[in-house]
Each structure stands twice: as structure tokens, then as C-alpha cells.
Amino acid sequence: MSLQVIKPGLLTTLQDLGRYGFQRYGVMAGGAMDSFALRTANLLVGNVQGEAALEITLQGPTLRAETDLLAAVCGGHLAPTLDGEPVPEWQSFPMKAGSVLQFGYAKFGCRAYLAVAGGFHVPDVLASKSTFVRGKMGGFEGRALQAGDRLPCGHVRMDRDEQAEADSALATANGVATQAHANGTDIREKTVSPTIAKPNDFTSRHFAALPRNRFISWELFPDYSNEPVIRVTRGQQYDAFDAESRERLWAETFQVTPQSDRMGYRIEGPPLQLVAPLEMISEAVTFGTVQVPPGGNPIVLLADRQTTGGYPKIAQVAAVDLPVLAQLKPGDRLRFTEITVEEAQRLYLERERGLQMLQRALTL
Amino acid sequence: MSEVLAGSITAFGECAVRVELGTGIEESVFHRVAAFTEALQAHPFAGLIESVPAFTTVTVFYDPVRVAEACFFKKTPYHAVAAHLQHLLQTLQQAEHRPAETVEIPVCYGGAHGPDLEEVARLNGLTPDEVIEIHAGGEYLVYMIGFAPGFPYLGGLSDRIAAPRRAEPRLRIPVGSVGIAGQQTGVYPMETPGGWQLIGRTPLTLFRPDRNPPSLLQAGHIVRFRPITEREFAAWEEESR
């Protein structure tokens, strides 16, 4: 059971929800940049949400299935095709043994996630399958995929009968969920059928990897856009920035620079300055921390951030908007808007409830 | 001496809380941080993910869903967590000072392993041997682990061998390199770029992802450096292969 790598793509790595519990030893958390897309892809193939999946960046790989697999692609739109035919995104699809799944360049967003039923079989390192490339650990041999790699994946030991059984179970699950939809449960209210028009604000700027799958509601979706307004709470040193800088943070547009990667995005805009130099002492940072080095251009820390940092922190990105941020690529513009911690938590709980409902709908 | 722990609690986004236990890099603050970290380990709350102690703060990461469920959605997750931590702060006293564990780190000073030893000596008007004697004669407290897996922030470097960072950072610093930057000394647990002045190298492995804990050093350890020869270094490396 495996996927063979014909072309590796620009940066294709195995990621799960990250390596937690070891940050006090300096071990960075890592994990998927867009955890919403990873979790959804896993749910669509019947995995647990945190199973490892392939994170595919900007220019995607070409992969050959060596056995029959059930797969799903979520996240940024990298124009995937299966034996030359477009692959439906945000829903599961079967891959026959020998078929070739090919990704192109990112048309919308930056990263796509490929999950397969049964997951990828690599050893856990410190309780996670996430690849930490700089540390050469985790994932597939501690590195990004290379041509010729064979990734063990899928359900171990599934013979033809079991496969048929799994297929029919999945069909039933889909049927039951459709039933729930028709019966007017909560799911229906949170679901938009494919015939309903797109919400008005869903313009072409937003990415068009549309949730054609009827189980995923519009409301559940992050506000994917390549010109997003990112919601943040105030950082620990917010008040140490001068009044003009604080105003700029909310009023101005910032641009993602090419010096951006899984560790962090350097964003450029009018410089942000402190009232007076601060003597900073290193302390923990996290996913979405917006810190400002002396040059005045912020760095937004992302999945592969170091565990601790010593720059002033002006803001903290709301967790629900991290997937939106993770889909930006160099050149994209963004703005920030302030929310309270209470509001951020309300949004967080709402998102999680939505994912729980999706899980229920898919596993009924 | 037993003093009540004072600290201030602030939200750090919606999934973490920052507890500040002092304002300077001092041993007394370190002990408060350690006491609080231990208290939280002894009295965790439902939804706690992990805590990361630093020089003056402990950052507590949590899962808002589990916290909300545990308090039956009666409070916001932040307020529930803050209340728990506030209670810990108020009811806990300074931990007894226990004898700290000492870890000895063998170091081959100078030569190819410590290309900046002579520069550090020159900057301080000392001979290389004097630098080694001072560096290996000190006792260093591990304040925290951070920056890179297993990287210790050590306190206790003598002023007499302090040295500024290199003007041109190196693109590749070999794993195990022992360096000085300003008033700090440290050991690089993995190959990275960096601007520290390198005075030696240890054959010890500081970061071992196949072990738990994965870091040889932990906050609160006392580090001593022991000079070894190039031959001992080579033998050690050979052995661990």
C-alpha cells in the first residue's frame, strides 16, 4: 500500500496537527499550516481529524497510486488531476491502482492537503508525524518528498472484500448524511446545497476551491481570500508601540514578502515603532504571534516557529483566521482588525462545533 | 524563606495564558518560575496542553473546547483557566530549594573545534588557556530551553570572558559547538547558522528525539564544562557512532 512520488513538487511534506508537549525542551510544534484543510481532508476519507496528510506547497507533486486508495484534497487550489481529469476538491474520490494524481501551480491559496483513508504509515517522533525539515526529524525520513520515494499509506491489509465493504459503508454514510440533510436537522441549516447561489461577498478574489461537497457548510469555512482582513487580539507589548504605529496596524495594508516560509511570514508595510527601546526577555511565542523586530516590519510566526522569541509582540492572530493566513503567498496583501479574546474564543468554539458536526455527518 | 508567589496573568490569544513571575533575569525569579511550573504539573486542569517556562514567565497552552466543556460553558475558557492559575499563585508558596542536578559537559576547547577561542582571549586581554580555565571553572544555571531543540539558556558566565557576537554570522555551526555571545554561553544542539563566538565543541548529544525527555538539559540543571583533548573528543564520537 503506497503512493509513489514521480515528481516531488516544490515542498511536499507529511504534517499532522503538530508536536505538542515538548516545547519546554525547545522542540517546535510544527504541523499543518492550514489545520482546517488538513482536518477536513481527513474527515472526508474517514480518518481521525489529526491523521498525517501531505502538505503540498505552491507547485504540487505528481503521485502514482500503487494500490486502490480513497483520497481527498482540501485547501488551496493547485489544479489537481487524476489521469488527466480534474479532481473534485473538498470531497473524497477513489484512486485506482496505477492512476496518477498530478498537481499544478497554486491558482488560489498556497497549500493543498492530500489525505488518504488509513493515513500515512511513518513512525511517530515525539508523538507526531509532522516533518521538521530543519531538524531532519519526523514525517517521511525527516525531509520533504523526493522523486522515487514510496510512501506507505492506506488501510493495511485490506483485501478485495474488505474494500468493497468499506466502499459500501462509505456510500451508506453519504446516504445517511443526505437523509439527515433532507430531514432538516441542524446539519441542513448549516449546509448550503450546490444549487444555492454563492454568498454575495464570495467574489473571485476569494478562492474558488468551492465546497462542492454538500456536507461542508459555507459558514464553517474560513474566510479564504488572497486579500483577507485578519482578526487579531492585542499582543503583550501592544501599548509599547507609538500611537501612530498602533493606528497603522489597523489602517494600513501589509504585503507578504518572498522571505516567508513555514516558520513565519515577513510582511511589509509602513514601519511599526516602539515609543522607546524595550529590553525584551525571551519567552514563549505561538502560532500567529505578530512580532516586530527593530526594522519595523512585522513577522507573523507560523507552524515551524521557534518555541521562544524576544521581539516585541504587537498582536496575536485569532486561531480561526490562521488557515486564511496560511494560504497567503508572497505578494498577497492583508489587513488586520482587532477583536477581543472573548470574541476569538467564541469564534473558536463555533468553528470546533462545526467540525464536530461535519464529523458526525460523515460517520453517521 | 517562604514567600507567597506574586504574578500577573494575561491572555495570550485564545489558546494560551501568560503568567509573569518577575521582571529580570535573576535566580530568584527563576525559582518562582520553577515553583509555578511544578505547581501546575501537580495541579493540572482539564484542557491543559503544555506549559513553557522562560526567564520570567510561564506560558500555559490550553484547548478552549476542553476547558469550556469542563466548566459546562459557564465561563469563557480564558476566565476559567485564569481562575485556576490565579488560585495556584495564591495558594502556593516558594518551593524549597532542592539540590539541583549537575550535568557535566566535556568540551574540546580551541583548534578546529573552537575557532574563535583566540579572538575571545584577545578581546579580553587573556591567554586562550586562561579563557578555558575561567569557562570550565564556572557553574551555569539552565534558566530555560528554547530557540532550538535542546538549546540551553545558561546564566553564570564570567564578565572576564564575555565577547560580542561575530560581525559576520557563520552559515553553518557544527552540532555541539560551545559559544559565547555577550554575557551568555551556550551549546548548539543542532547544526544552524549563528553569530556566536565558538570556543569549543562537545561530543555529547544534547537533543535526542528518540528519548523522553528529548533534551539532555532541563531548566534548573547546573552545567559544568570539563576540558577534554582532541583525541578524547574523537574517541567519544567514535564510541557513540
Side-chain angles (χ1 to χ4, degrees):
Chain A
M1 306 291 289
S2 57
L3 268 179
Q4 193 192 350
V5 181
I6 299 168
K7 282 189 195 163
L10 190 64
L11 175 67
T12 307
T13 58
L14 272 178
Q15 300 293 343
D16 56 18
L17 291 176
R19 189 167 274 121
Y20 287 89
F22 303 96
Q23 293 195 88
R24 68 172 55 185
Y25 305 119
V27 181
M28 55 154 229
M33 289 279 278
D34 178 349
S35 61
F36 178 84
L38 174 116
R39 294 166 74 184
T40 307
N42 276 318
L43 287 179
L44 290 169
V45 296
N47 290 344
V48 295
Q49 297 185 16
E51 188 58 73
L54 283 180
E55 180 177 278
I56 292 163
T57 319
L58 277 171
Q59 175 69 51
T62 302
L63 308 162
R64 184 183 3 244
E66 297 197 326
T67 40
D68 291 357
L69 294 168
L70 180 69
V73 176
C74 294
H77 180 57
L78 278 76
T81 57
L82 186 64
D83 292 331
E85 292 296 316
V87 164
E89 292 158 84
W90 299 97
Q91 70 181 61
S92 59
F93 60 93
M95 283 176 76
K96 289 280 167 214
S99 61
V100 173
L101 179 62
Q102 184 172 359
F103 290 84
Y105 187 76
K107 285 178 93 169
F108 300 100
C110 183
R111 296 157 224 278
Y113 293 82
L114 169 68
V116 300
F120 290 90
H121 311 305
V122 297
D124 277 5
V125 178
L126 298 176
S128 168
K129 293 184 167 65
S130 286
T131 314
F132 171 21
V133 174
R134 267 176 303 131
K136 300 184 181 76
M137 63 180 257
F140 185 77
E141 298 182 357
R143 59 169 171 78
L145 298 191
Q146 294 171 1
D149 286 346
R150 294 179 69 187
L151 286 172
C153 63
H155 288 292
V156 186
R157 264 176 22 87
M158 187 186 273
D159 61 26
R160 216 166 270 276
D161 289 351
E162 283 173 318
Q163 184 68 54
E165 208 171 291
D167 288 349
S168 98
L170 188 80
T172 312
N174 286 350
V176 170
T178 311
Q179 198 80 47
H181 176 227
N183 290 346
T185 58
D186 280 359
I187 296 159
R188 188 206 58 180
E189 284 165 24
K190 302 264 326 176
T191 307
V192 175
S193 85
T195 54
I196 292 177
K198 297 178 206 171
N200 291 335
D201 62 346
F202 208 83
T203 66
S204 58
R205 284 193 298 110
H206 293 74
F207 57 87
L210 306 179
R212 271 165 285 196
N213 184 302
R214 60 181 162 278
F215 307 122
I216 307 177
S217 76
W218 288 105
E219 282 163 48
L220 179 57
F221 258 69
D223 299 324
Y224 288 128
S225 160
N226 58 7
E227 252 176 65
V229 178
I230 299 289
R231 290 166 288 191
V232 301
T233 54
R234 287 185 185 195
Q236 187 66 30
Q237 284 79 33
Y238 176 82
D239 290 326
F241 286 84
D242 62 34
E244 208 179 12
S245 296
R246 280 179 275 160
E247 205 166 294
R248 283 171 179 163
L249 177 68
W250 310 123
E252 302 285 346
T253 299
F254 295 84
Q255 187 168 31
V256 179
T257 71
Q259 289 80 48
S260 296
D261 55 19
R262 278 181 47 89
M263 193 170 166
Y265 283 177
R266 284 173 183 273
I267 59 174
E268 221 167 57
L272 307 178
Q273 304 294 350
L274 295 167
V275 174
L278 270 184
E279 204 198 320
M280 292 291 300
I281 297 174
S282 280
E283 62 182 16
V285 291
T286 187
F287 204 155
T289 301
V290 185
Q291 56 175 24
V292 185
N297 281 317
I299 299 173
V300 189
L301 298 175
L302 301 171
D304 282 358
R305 66 205 176 268
Q306 293 171 356
T307 53
T308 56
Y311 290 128
K313 299 178 272 292
I314 196 167
Q316 175 65 38
V317 177
V320 291
D321 281 350
L322 289 173
V324 179
L325 195 65
Q327 292 293 355
L328 297 183
K329 48 180 176 263
D332 286 345
R333 292 163 194 280
L334 68 155
R335 285 186 297 126
F336 294 106
T337 188
E338 185 180 4
I339 60 170
T340 62
V341 170
E342 287 74 16
E343 177 69 357
Q345 294 205 312
R346 195 186 61 72
L347 293 167
Y348 185 99
L349 295 179
E350 200 176 281
R351 167 76 52 79
E352 292 302 313
R353 256 195 305 274
L355 277 163
Q356 270 170 24
M357 274 198 298
L358 175 64
Q359 177 162 14
R360 242 173 271 150
L362 291 166
T363 55
L364 266 176
Chain B
M1 190 180 72
S2 77
E3 125 199 45
V4 173
L5 285 175
S8 72
I9 295 174
T10 45
F12 182 13
E14 74 283 76
C15 299
V17 160
R18 175 186 185 269
V19 183
E20 186 177 277
L21 294 137
T23 52
I25 301 177
E26 293 158 28
E27 270 194 49
S28 61
V29 177
F30 167 80
H31 289 296
R32 293 156 65 131
V33 167
F36 184 77
T37 306
E38 276 177 34
L40 182 58
Q41 272 177 310
H43 304 279
F45 56 89
L48 171 67
I49 294 172
E50 63 183 310
S51 63
V52 182
F55 287 112
T56 58
T57 60
V58 178
T59 302
V60 180
F61 293 94
Y62 63 93
D63 172 1
V65 173
R66 292 209 48 212
V67 173
E69 283 168 357
C71 71
F72 303 103
F73 297 88
K74 283 189 179 133
K75 292 178 185 170
T76 68
Y78 167 66
H79 286 110
V81 171
H84 181 92
L85 300 179
Q86 190 66 51
H87 182 71
L88 282 187
L89 280 172
Q90 280 165 355
T91 54
L92 282 159
Q93 306 226 309
Q94 192 74 279
E96 300 255 323
H97 284 214
R98 279 168 311 181
E101 192 181 325
T102 300
V103 179
E104 191 181 80
I105 297 184
V107 179
C108 178
Y109 286 98
H113 294 313
D116 300 325
L117 178 66
E118 301 214 351
E119 176 68 3
V120 172
R122 194 187 58 78
L123 286 166
N124 288 287
L126 299 168
T127 66
D129 280 346
E130 286 170 326
V131 173
I132 296 171
E133 199 184 313
I134 295 167
H135 192 261
E139 278 199 344
Y140 304 89
L141 171 64
V142 180
Y143 274 93
M144 60 183 271
I145 306 288
F147 165 65
F151 182 86
Y153 284 88
L154 299 173
L157 183 73
S158 164
D159 292 350
R160 295 165 60 204
I161 55 172
R165 282 163 198 269
R166 287 167 54 86
E168 289 290 317
R170 286 188 172 84
L171 291 175
R172 206 190 129 258
I173 289 181
V175 60
S177 291
V178 176
I180 288 176
Q183 295 278 355
Q184 285 195 77
T185 184
V187 187
Y188 279 94
M190 52 176 54
E191 193 183 296
T192 64
W196 291 38
Q197 307 269 8
L198 307 183
I199 60 168
R201 195 174 167 207
T202 179
L204 268 193
T205 307
L206 268 72
F207 179 64
R208 320 151 301 179
D210 54 337
R211 301 242 211 120
N212 195 359
S215 175
L216 173 72
L217 298 175
Q218 288 165 49
H221 281 166
I222 299 291
V223 166
R224 298 189 65 102
F225 295 105
R226 179 170 64 84
I228 59 171
T229 64
E230 224 163 297
R231 184 173 293 188
E232 285 174 296
F233 183 96
W236 198 304
E237 273 210 318
E238 192 63 38
E239 205 175 297
S240 59
R241 219 168 259 153

